[in-house]
Amino acid sequence: MRAVLLHQFGPPENLKIGEVAAPAPRPGEVTVDAAAIGVQFLETQVRSGKMGGVLGGAPFPVVLGKELAGTVGAVGSSEHAHLIGKRVLASTASTGGYAEKAVVPADSVIEIPAGLDTEDALALYRYGCTAAGLIRAARLGPGDRVLVQAAAGAVGTLLVQLLKAAGVGTVIGTARGERKLALIKELGADLAVDYSETGWDNQVRAALGGTVDVVFDHIGGPVSKAAFGLLTGGTGRFVTFGFSSGSPVEIGPMELLGRGLTLTGFTAGQVWSRPDHARELVTEVLDLAVAGRVKAVIGQRFPLAEAAAAHAAVESRATVGKTLLIP
């Protein structure tokens, strides 16, 4: 079968299409024939070597990729025979996803509801789970004013929609460029602001006539520090789940103490380490999609053989929504 092989850490060009043996499921596993494969920003960092430790010392060449959607084509034991032919969402342990077929734990697959497109389901899958988990972590109230950083990204587009579906008071989305700002407004944000503009935080403050209650952030650096400054003293919550700029936001204990703010760190692993909880969140998002209250945003599709181009696009931060590889 065809798979994308990483022969050594480095630039996107190090991802090369090649032929490998098709994996065979063992008892407790199933093989998924991929219809679509998700590309995560984290995978670009692993490929570059910045977060190569995620591979756990696996020898090169290695096949990256964690999330996929497709049809169950084979099972490792008869107890899972009922899954053959089912459309499912699935996650690998951390590698093996950039391929025409992948082996995954049978008890981890989630069936795609009837009426929901396979590619749309994948775009809603893991990042939808992350967005739903973030919302729970923030302890939101109905009148809250919420700022979503990088709101045109794969997580951000879902956060904006889920926040509106939850009925929060005001949703403010930030992004760079008119194309992304227009998308944020289309998804229901009450205000869209370009965070690359000098004084963008003052624009938010002026538009609202005040401060915000919650910030969801994964940019880091000065942009995130400016967002932190927008929080309401005494009740504001800052939820950080990454730093795509390459630099984490620097917030000291005395800044939290002096203003009475809460800083919460969140990783998707906190959710996926509790499989039943993760399944609950994914199902919640998929049900909202079936009901027409949330939609998938797929900004880019690349053939499997063009995985290098997909990584380059994601790293350039010019992408919107979810990026998919199509076998």
Side-chain angles (χ1 to χ4, degrees), residues 137-141 144-147 211-216 227-240 251 255-264:
R139 308 183 308 280
L140 293 171
D144 280 343
R145 300 198 284 192
V146 183
L147 177 70
T211 53
V212 301
D213 301 291
V214 177
V215 171
F216 290 111
F228 178 76
L230 285 168
L231 285 169
T232 303
T235 60
R237 287 95 76 198
F238 190 94
V239 185
T240 177
I251 299 172
E255 295 177 275
L256 297 171
L257 180 63
R259 294 176 57 200
L261 303 177
T262 299
L263 172 64
T264 299

Side-chain angles (χ1 to χ4, degrees), residues 24-31 72 74-77 79-80 83 103-107:
R26 296 174 297 186
E29 297 177 335
V30 300
T31 297
V72 175
V75 299
S77 52
E79 64 182 304
H80 297 116
L83 291 173
V103 166
V104 300
D107 60 3

Side-chain angles (χ1 to χ4, degrees), residues 141-237:
D144 280 343
R145 300 198 284 192
V146 183
L147 177 70
V148 179
Q149 293 276 56
V155 176
T157 52
L158 293 171
L159 264 175
V160 168
Q161 295 180 80
L162 291 174
L163 287 165
K164 296 302 292 185
V168 301
T170 305
V171 177
I172 308 102
T174 73
R176 294 191 303 176
E178 289 301 322
R179 174 189 176 214
K180 293 185 177 182
L181 296 177
L183 172 61
I184 294 168
K185 292 289 288 183
E186 179 187 328
L187 295 175
D190 301 287
L191 177 66
V193 177
D194 192 327
Y195 67 73
S196 68
E197 294 182 357
T198 302
W200 71 267
D201 50 329
N202 292 327
Q203 293 180 44
V204 173
R205 190 176 282 107
L208 296 179
T211 53
V212 301
D213 301 291
V214 177
V215 171
F216 290 111
D217 180 80
H218 74 107
I219 295 177
V223 171
S224 297
K225 197 59 180 284
F228 178 76
L230 285 168
L231 285 169
T232 303
T235 60
R237 287 95 76 198

Side-chain angles (χ1 to χ4, degrees), residues 33-203:
D33 299 331
I37 302 155
V39 177
Q40 299 185 4
F41 178 77
L42 172 63
E43 291 160 0
T44 71
Q45 303 301 286
V46 174
R47 185 219 71 239
S48 71
K50 293 178 182 178
M51 298 190 70
V54 170
L55 296 179
F60 291 115
V62 66
V63 177
L64 301 181
K66 190 173 184 67
E67 56 181 314
L68 66 151
T71 304
V72 175
V75 299
S77 52
S78 59
E79 64 182 304
H80 297 116
H82 64 284
L83 291 173
I84 292 179
K86 298 288 188 181
R87 289 190 310 142
V88 299
L89 298 166
S91 297
T92 69
S94 64
T95 59
Y98 290 6
E100 292 178 316
K101 300 175 183 287
V103 166
V104 300
D107 60 3
S108 71
V109 301
I110 297 175
E111 290 192 39
I112 298 173
L116 188 59
D117 177 80
T118 299
E119 291 183 12
D120 286 348
L122 180 58
L124 295 166
Y125 176 34
R126 291 189 69 91
Y127 284 161
C129 182
T130 296
L134 283 164
I135 288 173
R136 293 197 184 190
R139 308 183 308 280
L140 293 171
D144 280 343
R145 300 198 284 192
V146 183
L147 177 70
V148 179
Q149 293 276 56
V155 176
T157 52
L158 293 171
L159 264 175
V160 168
Q161 295 180 80
L162 291 174
L163 287 165
K164 296 302 292 185
V168 301
T170 305
V171 177
I172 308 102
T174 73
R176 294 191 303 176
E178 289 301 322
R179 174 189 176 214
K180 293 185 177 182
L181 296 177
L183 172 61
I184 294 168
K185 292 289 288 183
E186 179 187 328
L187 295 175
D190 301 287
L191 177 66
V193 177
D194 192 327
Y195 67 73
S196 68
E197 294 182 357
T198 302
W200 71 267
D201 50 329
N202 292 327
Q203 293 180 44

Side-chain angles (χ1 to χ4, degrees), residues 247-311:
S247 302
V249 61
E250 295 184 2
I251 299 172
M254 291 307 296
E255 295 177 275
L256 297 171
L257 180 63
R259 294 176 57 200
L261 303 177
T262 299
L263 172 64
T264 299
F266 181 93
T267 66
Q270 294 169 334
V271 174
W272 291 98
S273 64
R274 301 160 58 195
D276 290 343
H277 180 50
R279 184 179 293 272
E280 175 190 341
L281 294 179
V282 172
T283 301
E284 173 185 313
V285 174
L286 296 181
D287 287 347
L288 285 170
V290 172
R293 300 182 65 194
V294 172
K295 70 175 183 179
V297 179
I298 302 171
Q300 307 74 218
R301 294 174 175 84
F302 294 85
L304 182 63
E306 296 180 15
H311 271 227

